[in-house]
Amino acid sequence: KQWYQRRVRGIMEGWSSGLRWVGAALSYAVTSVLIITVNKSVLSIYKFPSVKFFSVAQLTVTVIVVQLLKFGKFVTFPDLTLSNVRKVMPLPILYMLNMMVGLGSTQSLSIAMFTVLRRFTVLFVMIGEIIILQKRFSVLTMVTVMAMILGVVIASVGDLAFEVYGYVLILTNDALTAAYSIYIKKIDDNKSLGRFGMMYYNSIVSLPLAILIFLASGDTVSDFEGWSDPWFCFEFLACNLLGFILIYSSILCTTVCGALTQNVVGVLKNTVMTYFGMWYGGDYIFSWVNFTGITISAFGGVVYSYVTFTGRDKPSLSMKKKQGATSIA
């Protein structure tokens, strides 16, 4: 009877862990798709003049919402202190650098190739987790990630609008995104700030830098005609709220599923957006080489998600023994 109870308890815990994994991954993917769709409407249809002001608005809303949640005792996290600010560093700096290079690469590349080249983030995260977090991956995991990268390389070879400057910017953007994801995981291991504390401190420290960049850019939004349109105001508010939800869902996905999985979820979401963008954007130049590379990369992402969810991403027993022998030596 005790064996049966332990068996049932183990099955239930496995299902609970799997559901948490799926829930965290889906929340990040759905929120990402929603914010891209709404942002596209505000920036392209309504032609809002400043992406930098968007960053300021989203950070401001995040700080206000999290502070209100704390005031209402819905969440708890440590008060703002200099020592806690040190704990979140260098996340705010990474965030601001990531934003600046990301904006530059968005301007220099088509949406389709921007999305495809963002998949290099997965490789950078894997390398970073091996070096910084001392994490090990199975051979199958590494093969699927390399399949994604192979697809990206093939797609780049077939890019009929190749531009060196844009490629340099997007690869820098990928490296900064990977560093941001890994350091979120490293700070969360400390458990002292919590998820909302990390979100609050990262946003409030980043906000002054975002304001300075906005002011230095010379962008003006006060005379924008869309402010008189109620539907635009609704979408603009939705963008900012979704920005807060995206930050939380990103942190949740990273801490529950791991930084690499969080980025692969982003890869799968971006795959859908890439194929949709080929038809919707109107600026994609089709070539069979490029299309084949995108498809190979997408297939690698799907296989990796299956490998991760089924638990086949763990190193083999022989690999663990070898690592143990190396540590003893």
Side-chain angles (χ1 to χ4, degrees):
K1 184 178 180 180
Q2 292 180 351
W3 175 86
Y4 176 75
Q5 290 176 344
R6 287 196 300 269
R7 180 66 175 172
V8 171
R9 190 182 302 113
I11 294 174
M12 295 301 294
E13 289 177 354
W15 274 101
S16 176
S17 177
L19 288 175
R20 288 180 69 245
W21 191 96
V22 172
L26 281 179
S27 66
Y28 172 66
V30 171
T31 306
S32 299
V33 170
L34 284 176
I35 197 171
I36 289 174
T37 304
V38 180
N39 282 347
K40 180 68 174 176
S41 174
V42 171
L43 293 172
S44 298
I45 298 177
Y46 287 98
K47 301 185 184 303
F48 189 74
S50 177
V51 177
K52 301 175 187 67
F53 183 80
F54 253 128
S55 300
V56 173
Q58 289 183 1
L59 288 172
T60 303
V61 169
T62 298
V63 170
I64 293 174
V65 171
V66 176
Q67 189 63 58
L68 288 175
L69 289 174
K70 182 182 180 182
F71 181 77
K73 298 182 179 180
F74 294 101
V75 299
T76 58
F77 55 86
D79 294 328
L80 182 64
T81 63
L82 186 59
S83 63
N84 286 331
V85 170
R86 292 194 189 101
K87 289 180 181 179
V88 300
M89 297 300 287
L91 288 180
I93 296 176
L94 289 173
Y95 174 82
M96 295 310 303
L97 291 174
N98 197 25
M99 183 187 71
M100 287 187 287
V101 222
L103 290 173
S105 57
T106 302
Q107 293 175 348
S108 302
L109 298 170
S110 67
I111 295 176
M113 284 310 300
F114 172 84
T115 306
V116 169
L117 289 166
R118 286 287 290 163
R119 295 183 185 125
F120 262 106
T121 304
V122 180
L123 177 62
F124 294 157
V125 167
M126 173 177 280
I127 295 172
E129 286 194 339
I130 291 173
I131 297 174
I132 298 175
L133 303 181
Q134 302 298 311
K135 190 173 181 180
R136 293 295 178 265
F137 301 94
S138 68
V139 175
L140 183 58
T141 300
M142 291 187 285
V143 168
T144 55
V145 171
M146 295 313 297
M148 283 193 292
I149 299 304
L150 175 63
V152 174
V153 172
I154 294 174
S156 301
V157 171
D159 183 11
L160 300 181
F162 177 81
E163 184 180 345
V164 175
Y165 178 71
Y167 272 63
V168 171
L169 284 179
I170 191 62
L171 290 176
T172 306
N173 188 205
D174 293 342
L176 290 169
T177 302
Y180 184 87
S181 299
I182 292 169
Y183 270 97
I184 281 182
K185 180 68 175 178
K186 189 175 182 181
I187 291 176
D188 185 71
D189 287 340
N190 193 26
K191 304 295 183 183
S192 58
L193 294 179
R195 292 167 186 164
F196 280 96
M198 288 168 57
M199 183 190 306
Y200 177 78
Y201 274 85
N202 185 51
S203 299
I204 201 168
V205 174
S206 298
L207 184 57
L209 298 175
I211 293 174
L212 287 175
I213 291 177
F214 168 65
L215 294 176
S217 68
D219 293 348
T220 57
V221 296
S222 57
D223 55 350
F224 179 61
E225 297 179 355
W227 294 123
S228 59
D229 187 337
W231 187 250
F232 167 80
C233 294
F234 170 77
E235 290 195 12
F236 185 81
L237 178 61
C239 283
N240 294 296
L241 291 175
L242 284 170
F244 157 75
I245 297 172
L246 179 62
I247 292 174
Y248 175 70
S249 64
S250 176
I251 294 173
L252 180 65
C253 185
T254 300
T255 53
V256 172
C257 307
L260 182 61
T261 302
Q262 185 260 340
N263 279 280
V264 171
V265 171
V267 167
L268 297 177
K269 175 264 302 180
N270 288 335
T271 298
V272 175
M273 296 302 296
T274 300
Y275 284 114
F276 179 72
M278 291 178 184
W279 168 78
Y280 179 76
D283 55 352
Y284 172 72
I285 304 176
F286 178 84
S287 75
W288 279 111
V289 175
N290 181 269
F291 183 81
T292 301
I294 290 175
T295 303
I296 292 174
S297 182
F299 179 75
V302 172
V303 174
Y304 173 77
S305 298
Y306 171 77
V307 169
T308 302
F309 185 72
T310 55
R312 299 182 182 182
D313 60 330
K314 304 296 187 297
S316 63
L317 183 60
S318 60
M319 185 183 297
K320 289 181 179 179
K321 289 181 178 179
K322 184 177 180 181
Q323 291 169 6
T326 305
S327 299
I328 293 173

